[in-house]
């Protein structure tokens, strides 16, 4: 089983602890490896080094990429349990028994190592946790918008769910004019971000409080304007 601890592209869905506990139990019962896909979630995005740390379970494998070098160099890695590694040891001359054209690329590895050093020096994971809490708190102020169905997130990975009907949580959908208009408006006002069924907000960990306030203000203004223009479609 492979899954993101927090499903990102699907609208920043933050599951309960019970969900991941059950996932672990089911995998154990059936002898299935549990792989946490931390390609987006990992390296501090959720306010801990790895998002699975929020869930008190240990996966068998963890995949990681983007945040490993903060995106500055193309690098990916996988961490595995000792019991999984045993199987790869048989091919001792090839790391993890898997060949890649650019595997073990020295420049990318060097960039990742430096990145990890900076993470520690600048307490970037803690910054993500603290500023993330502030971002979510500010975004919660937008809950009163008629087109906001939910505000959720962990660390600097937050989402504002856009809905057509606040009661039923019926969505507009990614292709709806309303959604496209919100996307256009936030861009015009200086916030470049992904607007699908959910407005995704995941700034760099060095974001300032002023910048967070500006992100929230732009989102607020864009929603108000789109709601006025498409009032007949809401509710
Ligand atoms: C959640 C998730 N998993 C895996 C991948 C693939 O990562 P890579 O391109 O490093 O193989 C992506 C790429 O965007 C991703 O978002």
């Amino acid at each position: 089983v492979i899954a993101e601890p927090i499903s990102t592209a699907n609208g920043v869905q933050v599951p309960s602890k019970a969900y991941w506990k059950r996932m672990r139990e089911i995998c154990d019962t059936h002898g299935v490896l549990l792989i946490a896909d931390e390609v987006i979630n990992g390296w501090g995005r959720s306010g801990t080094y790895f998002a699975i740390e929020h869930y008190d379970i240990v996966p068998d494998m963890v995949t990681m990429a983007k945040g490993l070098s903060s995106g500055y160099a193309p690098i990916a890695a996988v961490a595995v349990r000792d019991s999984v590694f045993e199987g790869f040891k048989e091919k001792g001359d090839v790391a993890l028994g898997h060949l890649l054209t650019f595997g073990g690329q020295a420049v990318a590895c060097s960039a990742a190592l430096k990145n990890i050093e900076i993470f520690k020096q600048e307490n970037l994971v803690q910054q993500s946790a603290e500023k993330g809490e502030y971002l979510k708190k500010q975004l919660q102020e937008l809950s009163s918008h008629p087109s906001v169905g939910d505000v959720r997130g962990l660390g600097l990975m937050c989402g504002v769910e856009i809905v057509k009907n606040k009661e039923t949580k019926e969505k507009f959908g990614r292709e709806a004019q309303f959604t496209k208009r919100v996307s256009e408006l936030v861009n015009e006002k200086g916030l470049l971000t992904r607007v699908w069924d959910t407005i995704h907000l995941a700034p760099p960990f060095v974001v300032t409080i002023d910048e967070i306030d500006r992100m929230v203000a732009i989102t607020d203004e864009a929603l108000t304007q789109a709601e006025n223009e498409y009032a007949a479609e809401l509710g």
Side-chain angles (χ1 to χ4, degrees), residues 1-8 10 12-28 34-37 41 51-52 54-58 154:
V1 171
I2 180 162
E4 286 187 279
I6 298 165
S7 172
T8 319
N10 190 31
V12 195
Q13 304 290 347
V14 185
S16 63
K17 278 197 181 183
Y19 173 87
W20 272 103
K21 187 167 171 273
R22 190 76 188 112
M23 283 276 268
R24 184 67 271 184
E25 283 167 2
I26 293 169
C27 287
D28 288 343
L34 180 56
I35 306 170
D37 176 349
N41 287 186
I52 202 70
H54 293 287
Y55 294 102
D56 302 335
I57 64 126
V58 180
L154 256 183

Side-chain angles (χ1 to χ4, degrees), residues 4 8-9 37-41 63-66 75-76 194:
E4 286 187 279
T8 319
D37 176 349
E38 297 262 8
V39 168
I40 294 183
N41 287 186
T63 59
M64 59 193 91
K66 309 181 197 310
I75 187 167
R194 176 197 275 165

Side-chain angles (χ1 to χ4, degrees), residues 11 16 35 37-38 54 62 69 107 123 150 157-158 163 168 199:
S16 63
I35 306 170
D37 176 349
E38 297 262 8
H54 293 287
V62 175
S69 71
V107 176
N123 286 322
D150 193 21
M157 181 169 60
C158 289
V163 292
T168 63
I199 305 173

